[in-house]
Amino acid sequence: DFLLALDEVHPSFGVSETELKQCVTNGIFKFGNHVERILSDGQLFIGQVRNSKRTPLVSVLLHGPSGSGKTALAATIAMASDFPFIKLISPESMVGFTEQAKMNHINKIFNDAHRSEFSVIVIDSIERILDWVAIGPRFSNTVLQTLLVLMKKAPQKNHRLLILATTSQRHVLQQMDMADVFDASIYVPNITDLDSVDLLLQELKTFTDSERRRAIDTLRASGIEARGISIGIKKLLMITEMASQDVDKVDKFVYTLTDEGSGGAR
Amino acid sequence: DFLLALDEVHPSFGVSETELKQCVTNGIFKFGNHVERILSDGQLFIGQVRNSKRTPLVSVLLHGPSGSGKTALAATIAMASDFPFIKLISPESMVGFTEQAKMNHINKIFNDAHRSEFSVIVIDSIERILDWVAIGPRFSNTVLQTLLVLMKKAPQKNHRLLILATTSQRHVLQQMDMADVFDASIYVPNITDLDSVDLLLQELKTFTDSERRRAIDTLRASGIEARGISIGIKKLLMITEMASQDVDKVDKFVYTLTDEGSGGAR
Amino acid sequence: DFLLALDEVHPSFGVSETELKQCVTNGIFKFGNHVERILSDGQLFIGQVRNSKRTPLVSVLLHGPSGSGKTALAATIAMASDFPFIKLISPESMVGFTEQAKMNHINKIFNDAHRSEFSVIVIDSIERILDWVAIGPRFSNTVLQTLLVLMKKAPQKNHRLLILATTSQRHVLQQMDMADVFDASIYVPNITDLDSVDLLLQELKTFTDSERRRAIDTLRASGIEARGISIGIKKLLMITEMASQDVDKVDKFVYTLTDEGSGGAR
Amino acid sequence: DFLLALDEVHPSFGVSETELKQCVTNGIFKFGNHVERILSDGQLFIGQVRNSKRTPLVSVLLHGPSGSGKTALAATIAMASDFPFIKLISPESMVGFTEQAKMNHINKIFNDAHRSEFSVIVIDSIERILDWVAIGPRFSNTVLQTLLVLMKKAPQKNHRLLILATTSQRHVLQQMDMADVFDASIYVPNITDLDSVDLLLQELKTFTDSERRRAIDTLRASGIEARGISIGIKKLLMITEMASQDVDKVDKFVYTLTDEGSGGAR
Amino acid sequence: DFLLALDEVHPSFGVSETELKQCVTNGIFKFGNHVERILSDGQLFIGQVRNSKRTPLVSVLLHGPSGSGKTALAATIAMASDFPFIKLISPESMVGFTEQAKMNHINKIFNDAHRSEFSVIVIDSIERILDWVAIGPRFSNTVLQTLLVLMKKAPQKNHRLLILATTSQRHVLQQMDMADVFDASIYVPNITDLDSVDLLLQELKTFTDSERRRAIDTLRASGIEARGISIGIKKLLMITEMASQDVDKVDKFVYTLTDEGSGGAR
Amino acid sequence: DFLLALDEVHPSFGVSETELKQCVTNGIFKFGNHVERILSDGQLFIGQVRNSKRTPLVSVLLHGPSGSGKTALAATIAMASDFPFIKLISPESMVGFTEQAKMNHINKIFNDAHRSEFSVIVIDSIERILDWVAIGPRFSNTVLQTLLVLMKKAPQKNHRLLILATTSQRHVLQQMDMADVFDASIYVPNITDLDSVDLLLQELKTFTDSERRRAIDTLRASGIEARGISIGIKKLLMITEMASQDVDKVDKFVYTLTDEGSGGAR
Ligand SMILES: Nc1ncnc2c1ncn2[C@@H]1O[C@H](COP(=O)(O)OP(=O)(O)OP(=O)(O)O)[C@@H](O)[C@H]1O
Ligand SMILES: Nc1ncnc2c1ncn2[C@@H]1O[C@H](COP(=O)(O)OP(=O)(O)OP(=O)(O)O)[C@@H](O)[C@H]1O
Ligand SMILES: Nc1ncnc2c1ncn2[C@@H]1O[C@H](COP(=O)(O)OP(=O)(O)OP(=O)(O)O)[C@@H](O)[C@H]1O
Ligand SMILES: Nc1ncnc2c1ncn2[C@@H]1O[C@H](COP(=O)(O)OP(=O)(O)OP(=O)(O)O)[C@@H](O)[C@H]1O
Ligand SMILES: Nc1ncnc2c1ncn2[C@@H]1O[C@H](COP(=O)(O)OP(=O)(O)OP(=O)(O)O)[C@@H](O)[C@H]1O
Ligand SMILES: Nc1ncnc2c1ncn2[C@@H]1O[C@H](COP(=O)(O)OP(=O)(O)OP(=O)(O)O)[C@@H](O)[C@H]1O
Ligand SMILES: [Mg+2]
Ligand SMILES: [Mg+2]
Ligand SMILES: [Mg+2]
Ligand SMILES: [Mg+2]
Ligand SMILES: [Mg+2]
Ligand SMILES: [Mg+2]
């Protein structure tokens, strides 16, 4: 089992284990088919990097709506590779850096990766690493160009490198000619049906079984599915925890989910 | 009672009490239902941060028109948490700072918060902290990106952080993908009916009862409510004080309120 | 009498008297009702700042067309307050300053004001202080943000501050969200009728009575009032002086006023 | 006679005579009425500055098409004032200067002028001093703001200052709110009729009388006046000199003038 | 044979052999006519540079879609020249450089080339060297202007220089007036028919003959050719290697190629 | 004979002979009438500068399509002047310069020219000297303004200066108000008929007479003239040399000329 394997991963030189584990704070719940499909696709890319002589460099983009679980999944796939070099490039690790400092930080991690026989680099939230903002728009072209070049630069002879990147702004990367640079891409969807919500609530155990059933029944009766539901796993966890503080958990949960899940103004 | 509890808050290491109290110079008058609802919602978020293991970081945006009381309410909620670390990040505390200095100042406060077991950070007037101006438009992307990352960065293991932010430009934050980063948001409305004005005048005691009644009656007779009234608590306080300097308080009050309250050109 | 009171103002520590007097080089002529109304409104705001506990900070914007007398009136109101701290922030005093130096200069004056029990700050020609130019448009956001924050920053406990600002570009301030920051605003109009011109000419004594009457009669006969006349006091003074150099004063005056007063191309 | 007076001007401390004389390399030919009218208007402004107590600062803008003689006329008026301080601010004197250096240079000349009892400052080719270019458009806002403020700054008490500026881009100055800052403006036109061309050729003596007559007759016969002629004095001088190198002077002159004078592509 | 000749090339002073060989990691497969035509055109240009006295400087642009083999072909032609000076200017060799450093690096390589009797410079991926991004758009004008000038600068007397450049953004170079600077250009196409795919699979030997035939047959049956196929050699190699990791190679290959080859969203 | 005279020019202090000669690498072929007309116009301007007292400064712009021979002709005219100071300002001589360094370099050459009694300055490829690129558009306003001012600055008393500039982007100079600064302009056309091509081939001697005739006949038969031919002398020389490398010279020449000469995509 893939998830079991994950638990057996041991700390090793060149692996930023703590930071990667922090990306999966609430674990990986299997509330839908796509979760296992994404993890097994990840396994396939690890296999290609391990075995193919012709493609020493493979890059994959995990993209999807905000909070759909991209970072947690990318970190999980990376850790499962068991490669001696697994590093995370994240906006959090570069707060307060100048463009130049970011460039050097990123460059250093790639250089280190090139020197290891088998490496994985996770580039989390590329749009944030690029200081992207839609007004303007503005972003760091210095950092963008560094990534564009490094993502095509082959590692040292006979060495292998897998790049796993995440973004919630794939269309922006396309406008930057960055989407083209990836060899493959994986879509990480939102939760779009009440069965998945039900499954998740079962795993979370925040509600008693009767509370959970009442919540799901009320939601189903409200016709929310017909109107279209779309909510990220991250937001769903937040709503559940908020609701559990209220005297009337179920009502608060149903009310807030209806508000958020249909994209309504908070 | 929530407001009573506030009075009992005692100074403690890590709490910027003076600055927070300065945000509530004229106290909190209960001139409408929304005031108590907002304060109790605030209580709920404090509870979640105190109790939930799954959501160590919760962020809430108080938004509404200019002068509606956002800062006073955010400061009041923060002080009521009784957490050992309560800090204010405000434009006033960063006058004359370079972008870099602002970034460092903000970063330091977040780092300190992460080190405390329970923390609240109030980020007042985000648009001003970002040096936002609609012409251009221009703003500090350096500061924006710092906030975008810090607002998603989890505190140290087992530590908890509540972020309360205010803005009168929520649509701007939405264009910056910043509204998405908040876990919840609270709307702080203007005063939109004469009953609330009446209640406030009673509490203020600037007018005698007969003056107050004459003012409200004149306003009601003028049909201002039908045309639509919308005025912030802050401006209403200012108008009352201005009027009280005039030989004919009531007339001046009625005249100015009619002018301002209907959005007329001053 | 208000204007008499002005003469009695004595120099005192913290008052930039010379510069303020220089703003009123040609005195204040009472050629229309609005002049006295503006001065008495000014008195009211001084009273509010002196007396109200709830509003220690009051800001007023004097706006109107170029040369209508805004600076002279703001300086006159400020000097009449007799407060121990009265300072002028003007573009002329910051010629050759960098943005940073401007920011520091402005910040220093506000800090000094906060330390005085009763203060007035006159901010003259805000658009010029901001280096505003419509092409681009361009302006100093550094200085703008400094002003936006300082204009809302409360003085030290129990201290009071009145801010009087002038601009001929109020619509620009509105686009910058700066107009909102003012608690009140006063419109300073151009001269728009021949009676005011007549009154002014009487006070100026540049023309003899018969010359003046001939000038006014010619203008009236020309139908200029029907077509609409609008001219600032500053320009009218300039035209009168120019005309007085000509061999035929009255003709030159009538000709130039007709040209300028109807907004014609010079 | 005004032009005679000019010859009598003597060098004096504070007068940049050499540079001003260089602006009038080919003298002032009286080929049309407007020339004398402009010079006598200039005299009037000098009189106003000398005599009026109310207007110690007068600024005049000479504007018109490229090469129409603006600089030569401004320099001529300035030199005729016989004031102890007459300085030229020109693009040529600031080649290679940074924005900051330009600002300091201009500021210094104004400060010196303020210290002299009677002063004239000629600001030549404002658009070039501002580094104006229509593509973008781009210009030095630093220099623009410096000029905008200095042109409104009163000289020392009882001192007087006349500012004479030239531009071929008055509409640009209008967009920059700079045209408003001038107290008066004078239009310097192109040559638009063959009589003026004829008068000029008589004065120049480059052609014999019969050559000149043949040239004018040919031009008149060609119907160029009906199609509209418009040429600057500067270009007309250049064409005459070019033509005089050719074996067939008259033909070359007629041909080139026809080409240029009707705004044709060279 | 041209490709055989390539193998005989020996390292020499002034030749960056390692980097050039790295551009052809998977060799040159002859899967279509255009491959040989491009290589022989390359030979022609080498001949011209070697022999012509009138054209000591010849520049050629290889352009085509992303991954069509431009870099591999340019490097192959360059190495086949056997000139004493063959250098590669590539984005990978300038990661982390400032604009100034890039400019100096490029300038140095050109200066060295000018000093050698016969030289080839390969400028790989010009758009990346220029830090081009379509959003804005932005690019380094400093580097662009350096290239524009250097590409027209003749080498030292009697010396010869061939410039081979590659780009996947020829239309961008056209907008920059850079396309005009090249003396000739060569189009490197994508693979657009199944016969070429079949030929390539034969050479690659990743599939057995029966697997290959099944793959091609399935693709042909799917009508992909009719809908239009267009895929770069680089991507085709990547897909083949990915598919070979799957339990069902052929299915994965057919599925992915169908998805990619028709420009579908990954 | 003008071209003979050129050969007799001798090196002298202040003449950058080597660089100017390098601009005419392939000599001046007289393949059309315009060549002699341009050279004799050049003679006329040299005469004017030498003789006229009224116009000590004359500036001429040579403009036309890319590769039409502008630089070669400007250099030829300059060298024929036999003036003691003849200098070239070219992009090639300023590769790697900062804007400031360019400005100083240009300024120095003009200052030196002003000190010489008779001078010619050739400013080659103004758009490149300005770092012009149409995307944006971008260019160095610092360098532009320096040139705009220097091109109007009179040399030292009694000294003379001829400025010869070239550009293939005259419309850009017009947008920059730079075209206006020139006193005259000369159009350097492309080759637009087969007779000129034939004449050139005769002079070049790359083809035998029969080859040449076959080439011209084939081209004429193809109807290329009717469709419109337009090719620069520079490109025509390049095509002839390329074709001469091919086994079938004539075919290659005809094919490539047809492709290029009609503006087809290479
Ligand atoms: N099946 C799952 N897939 C992904 N995350 C899961 C899953 N089950 C539970 N989680 C939890 O949900 C959270 C997903 O958050 P994550 O930060 O990965 O989302 P994201 O898409 O990267 O968000 P953002 O768009 O803000 O970057 C994590 O706390 C993770 O432990
Ligand atoms: N119920 C209330 N809610 C909020 N403020 C109140 C209330 N009653 C009285 N006040 C007083 O009203 C003022 C509200 O001003 P505050 O600065 O909080 O408004 P704001 O919305 O933050 O304004 P701005 O948009 O300018 O930032 C404070 O002085 C506060 O003491
Ligand atoms: N009633 C009046 N109000 C204002 N100014 C007056 C009045 N009577 C005379 N003046 C004189 O008119 C002039 C007004 O000029 P002032 O600089 O105040 O105008 P302004 O509106 O500030 O001009 P600008 O738009 O250029 O800043 C002063 O010299 C002042 O002494
Ligand atoms: N009546 C005249 N008015 C102005 N200039 C004259 C007159 N007669 C002769 N000239 C000569 O014509 C030339 C006018 O050039 P000047 O530089 O003044 O023009 P300009 O309008 O300033 O040009 P530009 O638009 O390029 O700045 C000078 O050489 C001057 O001596
Ligand atoms: N006939 C061929 N032509 C070009 N490349 C080939 C050929 N046969 C095999 N290859 C291999 O295909 C790959 C082509 O990749 P290359 O980097 O040259 O493409 P590119 O067009 O430069 O890509 P990009 O647009 O990303 O720069 C190389 O690994 C090369 O060895
Ligand atoms: N009649 C001619 N006129 C100009 N150049 C000629 C002529 N005959 C031959 N040539 C040769 O043609 C070439 C013209 O190139 P030149 O660099 O002058 O063109 P250009 O128009 O300046 O090109 P670009 O637009 O690239 O600057 C030179 O090598 C020159 O020796
Ligand atoms: Mg994420
Ligand atoms: Mg607030
Ligand atoms: Mg003013
Ligand atoms: Mg001029
Ligand atoms: Mg490539
Ligand atoms: Mg050229």
Side-chain angles (χ1 to χ4, degrees), chain E residues 152, chain F residues 67 69-72 124-125 166 234:
Chain E
K152 286 178 87 171
Chain F
K70 303 170 294 295
T71 304
D124 189 38
S125 225
T166 77
K234 209 160 139 186

Side-chain angles (χ1 to χ4, degrees), chain F residues 3-16:
Chain F
L3 292 180
L4 267 179
L6 178 61
D7 289 339
E8 288 157 27
V9 168
H10 292 300
S12 57
F13 176 77
V15 177
S16 42

Side-chain angles (χ1 to χ4, degrees), chain D residues 21-86:
Chain D
K21 282 207 166 154
Q22 225 173 355
C23 295
V24 205
T25 28
N26 288 306
I28 298 289
F29 298 111
K30 297 187 185 173
F31 52 81
N33 287 335
H34 75 270
V35 180
E36 299 212 30
R37 184 183 46 71
I38 290 170
L39 292 173
S40 83
D41 267 11
Q43 285 288 65
L44 213 70
F45 289 116
I46 290 170
Q48 182 184 359
V49 168
R50 205 187 309 265
N51 304 321
S52 162
K53 302 249 139 151
R54 286 209 178 89
T55 53
L57 173 65
V58 175
S59 57
V60 183
L61 180 64
L62 287 94
H63 63 101
S66 186
S68 65
K70 303 171 295 294
T71 303
L73 289 167
T76 303
I77 295 169
M79 288 188 284
S81 74
D82 222 6
F83 284 2
F85 185 98
I86 314 175

Side-chain angles (χ1 to χ4, degrees), chain D residues 67 69-72 124-125 166 234, chain F residues 152:
Chain D
K70 303 171 295 294
T71 303
D124 190 37
S125 226
T166 78
K234 208 159 140 187
Chain F
K152 286 178 87 170

Side-chain angles (χ1 to χ4, degrees), chain E residues 93-109:
Chain E
S93 61
M94 295 188 281
V95 169
F97 281 33
T98 60
E99 281 188 299
Q100 190 69 35
K102 280 190 176 189
M103 188 169 73
N104 293 341
H105 178 76
I106 295 169
N107 205 7
K108 174 151 189 355
I109 290 182

